[in-house]
């Protein structure tokens, strides 16, 4: 059993994963203490689950006790729209599993609602979210800001108790980070109770700067250290980095022959490995690259993924 977690949540986790990872073991006690927490760990280490499983546990406990309010309690801010949809899917999986376990035990839970709100969300769905707020809202920094500018949006955010900033290192360094920092302070001024801030970061240096960004200037100790728990696990993995260029001469505009050579080489690398991620600059290019590689690798071997999907 996971110490301190609801039995349904603990059983689901053990059935699905077995044992916690190091970021989860170190992160859960600090998160459950109510302190602000910055969890820094490599990709694939389970830090995202460390953040949202604790939040879901609180919702499950309230639902099982018949005390789940019809309000938004968890706000999950992701810097990428495509990542937001992935987070929604990863939230629905444990909720479905926990609900199934509750039904097996004869104690059906009221539904815990999860929704995504980004620039791609249809207006009808955005209106429905305001009319009946989800318990967990996954959004982007820009959509978070827009919610703060409307009366109904502020009413939705007023009840937030937990704020999770995913991939916080990706925005802390630029103007998007300054914009998000302002939204965090506006939420704190608006909310009925100051929301707990949980930041998730890849391994960064100096980590204290990311922690200061997470908590804000108003929550620094006299020595300038951030008033939060900083959990740092692991270091960057060793990289096997290679740079390749096409044989043909490069110019300002790539010819069809140059693209064909590039796709042929990428396809060859794909065949040498089990899983390959190919990054491009635009959604249109993602579709074009997926089509070109699909022709070379076969139907079903390639899938495009971007913010409109």
């Amino acid at each position: 059993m996971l110490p301190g977690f609801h039995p349904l949540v603990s059983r689901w986790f053990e059935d699905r994963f077995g044992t916690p990872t190091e970021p989860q073991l170190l992160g859960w006690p600090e998160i459950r203490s109510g302190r602000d927490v910055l969890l820094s760990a490599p990709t694939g280490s389970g830090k995202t689950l460390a953040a949202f499983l604790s939040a879901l546990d609180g919702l499950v406990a309230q639902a099982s006790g018949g005390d789940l309010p019809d309000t938004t309690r968890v706000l999950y801010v992701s810097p990428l729209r495509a990542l937001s949809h992935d987070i929604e899917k990863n939230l629905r999986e444990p909720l479905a599993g926990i609900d199934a376990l509750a039904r097996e035990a004869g104690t059906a839970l009221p539904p815990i609602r999860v929704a995504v709100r980004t620039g791609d969300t249809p207006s009808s769905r955005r209106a429905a979210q305001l009319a009946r707020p989800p318990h967990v809202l996954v959004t982007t920094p820009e959509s978070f800001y827009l919610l703060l500018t409307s009366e109904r949006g502020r009413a939705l955010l007023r009840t937030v108790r937990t704020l999770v900033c995913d991939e916080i290192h990706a925005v802390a360094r630029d103007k998007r980070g300054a914009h998000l920092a302002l939204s965090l302070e506006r939420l704190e001024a608006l909310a009925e109770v100051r929301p707990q801030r949980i930041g998730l970061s890849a391994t960064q240096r100096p980590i204290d700067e990311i922690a200061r960004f997470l908590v804000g200037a108003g929550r620094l100790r006299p020595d300038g250290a951030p008033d939060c728990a900083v959990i740092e696990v692991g270091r960057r993995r060793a990289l096997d980095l290679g740079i390749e260029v096409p044989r043909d001469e490069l110019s300002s505009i790539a010819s069809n022959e140059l693209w064909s050579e590039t796709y042929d080489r990428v396809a060859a690398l794909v065949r040498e490995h089990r899983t390959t991620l190919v990054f491009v600059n635009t959604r249109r290019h993602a579709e074009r690259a997926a089509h070109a590689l699909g022709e070379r690798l076969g139907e079903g071997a390639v899938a495009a993924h971007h913010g409109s999907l």
Side-chain angles (χ1 to χ4, degrees):
M1 296 288 288
L2 296 180
F5 280 82
H6 191 279
L8 290 173
V9 177
S10 178
R11 183 181 167 191
W12 173 83
F13 182 88
E14 291 175 351
D15 290 347
R16 179 70 175 80
F17 296 102
T19 58
T21 63
E22 186 179 6
Q24 292 162 1
L25 285 171
L26 297 176
W28 281 330
E30 296 290 355
I31 292 172
R32 297 178 68 83
S33 74
R35 299 181 64 193
D36 290 348
V37 178
L38 175 62
L39 181 53
S40 175
T43 300
S45 60
K47 61 180 180 291
T48 302
L49 183 62
F52 73 63
L53 192 67
S54 184
L56 291 184
D57 179 70
L59 294 175
V60 170
Q62 288 183 297
S64 62
D67 190 32
L68 181 64
D70 205 25
T71 57
T72 298
R73 312 296 280 185
V74 181
L75 183 66
Y76 203 108
V77 181
S78 166
L80 299 174
R81 279 181 284 188
L83 186 59
S84 297
H85 291 283
D86 290 341
I87 294 298
E88 181 194 24
K89 178 182 176 182
N90 291 338
L91 283 167
R92 292 188 184 280
E93 179 185 353
L95 286 174
I98 292 167
D99 182 66
L101 291 174
R103 292 180 184 277
E104 289 178 11
T107 57
L109 300 175
I112 298 174
R113 299 185 303 278
V114 179
V116 169
R117 188 183 185 94
T118 70
D120 293 329
T121 304
S123 58
S124 59
R125 192 175 301 171
R126 293 199 296 267
Q129 293 169 0
L130 294 174
R132 193 183 185 201
H135 298 105
V136 182
L137 180 63
V138 182
T139 189
T140 60
E142 291 73 24
S143 292
F144 176 25
Y145 166 79
L146 290 175
L147 277 171
L148 287 163
T149 64
S150 71
E151 183 177 351
R152 296 182 70 189
R154 290 193 295 273
L156 180 147
L157 295 174
R158 191 169 286 115
T159 58
V160 168
R161 295 292 184 270
T162 303
L163 171 71
V164 181
C165 291
D166 200 4
E167 303 290 338
I168 191 171
H169 61 281
V171 296
R173 60 184 176 229
D174 55 27
K175 289 188 288 186
R176 277 187 94 195
H179 194 247
L180 175 59
L182 177 61
S183 295
L184 294 179
E185 295 305 316
R186 292 182 66 187
L187 176 65
E188 182 167 333
L190 170 70
E192 298 168 348
V193 177
R194 182 187 183 273
Q196 178 188 22
R197 299 184 187 182
I198 303 173
L200 305 179
S201 171
T203 49
Q204 297 287 302
R205 291 290 184 277
I207 194 63
D208 282 352
E209 287 297 328
I210 305 296
R212 275 189 280 270
F213 173 82
L214 173 67
V215 301
R219 296 183 70 84
L220 300 179
R221 301 185 185 118
D223 62 356
D227 186 14
C228 71
V230 178
I231 300 167
E232 193 174 9
V233 178
R235 297 292 183 268
R236 291 187 181 274
R237 298 177 180 178
L239 297 179
D240 179 8
L241 177 64
I243 299 176
E244 299 195 24
V245 295
R247 291 187 301 273
D248 293 342
E249 184 177 352
L250 296 174
S251 64
S252 58
I253 299 177
S255 65
N256 290 333
E257 292 75 14
L258 190 63
W259 277 119
S260 180
E261 179 187 345
T262 300
Y263 289 133
D264 286 344
R265 179 56 183 151
V266 173
L269 291 170
V270 171
R271 294 187 186 98
E272 295 174 6
H273 298 84
R274 293 182 57 188
T275 303
T276 305
L277 294 176
V278 180
F279 291 91
V280 297
N281 289 331
T282 65
R283 303 181 193 190
R284 181 181 180 184
H285 194 179
E287 298 286 353
R288 292 177 58 188
H291 176 73
L293 293 174
E295 290 182 329
R296 290 161 171 79
L297 298 169
E299 185 178 355
V302 183
H305 185 56
H306 52 68
S308 293
L309 296 175

